[in-house]
Amino acid sequence: ILLLNRYGLFRWCMLSSIIRIRSFGHIKCKSLARAMSSHAPIIINGSAEVDSSVIFLHGLGDTGHGWAAGFESIKQPNVRYIFPTAPTIPVSLNFGMPMPSWFDIFGLSHTDREDEQGIKKAASSLIAMIEEEESKGIPSSRVIIGGFSQGGAVALYTAVTSDKPIAGIIALSSWLPLHKQIASTDTKNKEASVFQGHGDADPMVNVSFGKMSSQLLQSKGHSKYIFNEYNGMSHASCDKEMIDVKNFIKSTLKPKNP
């Protein structure tokens, strides 16, 4: 079932999961189908000299197109934005139905079994994307990694387990996976800035899971931390959150040559 909410966001309510994608406005149905079948990342280049990058991962069942439109209106002139699409795999939460997913999901509770192998494989893929930006002349210290829901989980895990320095992390309606392992080890990228946004009416990833992730990472020494809670927002985004994301990127990735 596809529903259009007041922010111009489509929600697909399927089984016990909600998959969130953005509206494509004027794109015709056949063009949309072709776009969603492509696994090439969507890339939005800045209008000025690019000296930084943002790599943003979509949530379960979405594609890179799902967030590209939303970032188009908040893009910074010195930043390149990359929106990859996850591989299509069977998802246990949805009775094995194949869909774009960064890793398998078994349940919606923070105590449910986790796909450790899949999470680590997704993190390796994200590191490869950062290295691709490095090959284009953008140091990892000028890269923000982020995502929505499952995509944000991959970004958080990658940041705190990788030796590669990054500029920042964006995690929207998300959580830190494999948190028990993280709690018992030292974390990386303590100097990176973190922005977490979460709706207090989220029925899929309860805001308490996001808060627990924030508290754990701050207890591990991640001090440059912003956790914003949005009143009445469910498992989606809103205009206020996107403005906050814009300001976070703007302050974290200031132009080298203003």
Side-chain angles (χ1 to χ4, degrees), residues 4 37 49 65 72 74 83 85 98-99 102 118 120 139 143 146 148 153 168-170 173 179 216 242 257-258:
L4 181 65
S37 65
E49 181 181 354
H65 292 80
E72 183 72 42
I74 66 167
F83 304 92
T85 293
M99 62 185 63
W102 299 108
K120 291 181 176 179
V143 175
F148 175 80
I169 308 132
I170 298 170
S173 303
H179 59 277
L216 172 58
M242 293 306 292
N257 300 306

Side-chain angles (χ1 to χ4, degrees), residues 191-252:
E191 295 303 313
S193 299
V194 185
F195 177 87
Q196 260 191 277
H198 216 120
D200 65 1
D202 191 333
M204 309 309 301
V205 181
N206 192 283
V207 67
S208 64
F209 301 167
K211 288 180 178 178
M212 285 190 288
S213 298
S214 169
Q215 291 164 3
L216 172 58
L217 292 181
Q218 290 187 69
S219 73
K220 304 290 283 186
H222 296 262
S223 58
K224 299 178 181 178
Y225 220 104
I226 298 171
F227 185 95
N228 284 357
E229 188 172 337
Y230 298 91
N231 183 42
M233 189 176 82
S234 62
H235 197 60
S237 185
C238 67
D239 292 340
K240 176 63 169 64
E241 183 179 60
M242 293 306 292
I243 291 171
D244 291 340
V245 169
K246 174 183 178 179
N247 291 334
F248 175 78
I249 294 172
K250 186 176 182 180
S251 63
T252 304

Side-chain angles (χ1 to χ4, degrees), residues 47-238:
S47 57
E49 181 181 354
V50 171
D51 58 22
S52 312
S53 299
V54 171
I55 305 172
F56 195 88
L57 310 185
H58 62 75
L60 176 65
D62 202 352
T63 70
H65 292 80
W67 279 90
F71 274 80
E72 183 72 42
S73 62
I74 66 167
K75 64 183 180 182
Q76 299 301 302
N78 64 309
V79 179
R80 174 165 47 242
Y81 297 83
I82 301 101
F83 304 92
T85 293
T88 298
I89 64 170
V91 176
S92 297
L93 177 68
N94 286 324
F95 300 96
M97 182 177 290
M99 62 185 63
S101 184
W102 299 108
F103 53 86
D104 197 7
I105 297 180
F106 300 102
L108 298 175
S109 169
H110 71 285
T111 59
D112 284 323
R113 180 162 63 101
E114 295 184 276
D115 178 16
E116 179 176 350
Q117 182 178 357
I119 291 166
K120 291 181 176 179
K121 181 178 179 181
S124 295
S125 296
L126 183 49
I127 290 296
M129 297 177 208
I130 297 172
E131 290 173 345
E132 175 68 18
E133 290 307 291
E134 289 179 307
S135 73
K136 296 175 182 178
I138 306 297
S140 65
S141 59
R142 296 285 297 176
V143 175
I144 288 175
I145 58 175
F148 175 80
S149 192
Q150 186 193 46
V154 173
L156 280 170
Y157 179 81
T158 303
V160 302
T161 59
S162 173
D163 288 320
K164 191 176 288 294
I166 59 170
I169 308 132
I170 298 170
L172 308 182
S173 303
S174 193
W175 74 98
L176 176 64
L178 303 177
H179 59 277
K180 291 181 181 178
Q181 292 183 16
I182 301 301
S184 62
T185 61
D186 188 30
T187 55
K188 313 295 184 180
N189 278 300
K190 288 185 172 67
E191 295 303 313
S193 299
V194 185
F195 177 87
Q196 260 191 277
H198 216 120
D200 65 1
D202 191 333
M204 309 309 301
V205 181
N206 192 283
V207 67
S208 64
F209 301 167
K211 288 180 178 178
M212 285 190 288
S213 298
S214 169
Q215 291 164 3
L216 172 58
L217 292 181
Q218 290 187 69
S219 73
K220 304 290 283 186
H222 296 262
S223 58
K224 299 178 181 178
Y225 220 104
I226 298 171
F227 185 95
N228 284 357
E229 188 172 337
Y230 298 91
N231 183 42
M233 189 176 82
S234 62
H235 197 60
S237 185
C238 67

Side-chain angles (χ1 to χ4, degrees), residues 1-13 18-27 32 36 60 62 66-67 148 234-237:
I1 302 171
L2 281 171
L3 301 173
L4 181 65
N5 72 12
R6 64 192 177 95
Y7 301 115
L9 308 177
F10 283 115
R11 285 196 201 145
W12 176 12
C13 304
I18 293 178
I19 300 167
R20 172 211 173 281
I21 63 174
R22 281 195 175 265
S23 167
F24 288 84
H26 65 279
I27 299 179
L32 175 58
M36 293 185 71
L60 176 65
D62 202 352
W67 279 90
F148 175 80
S234 62
H235 197 60
S237 185

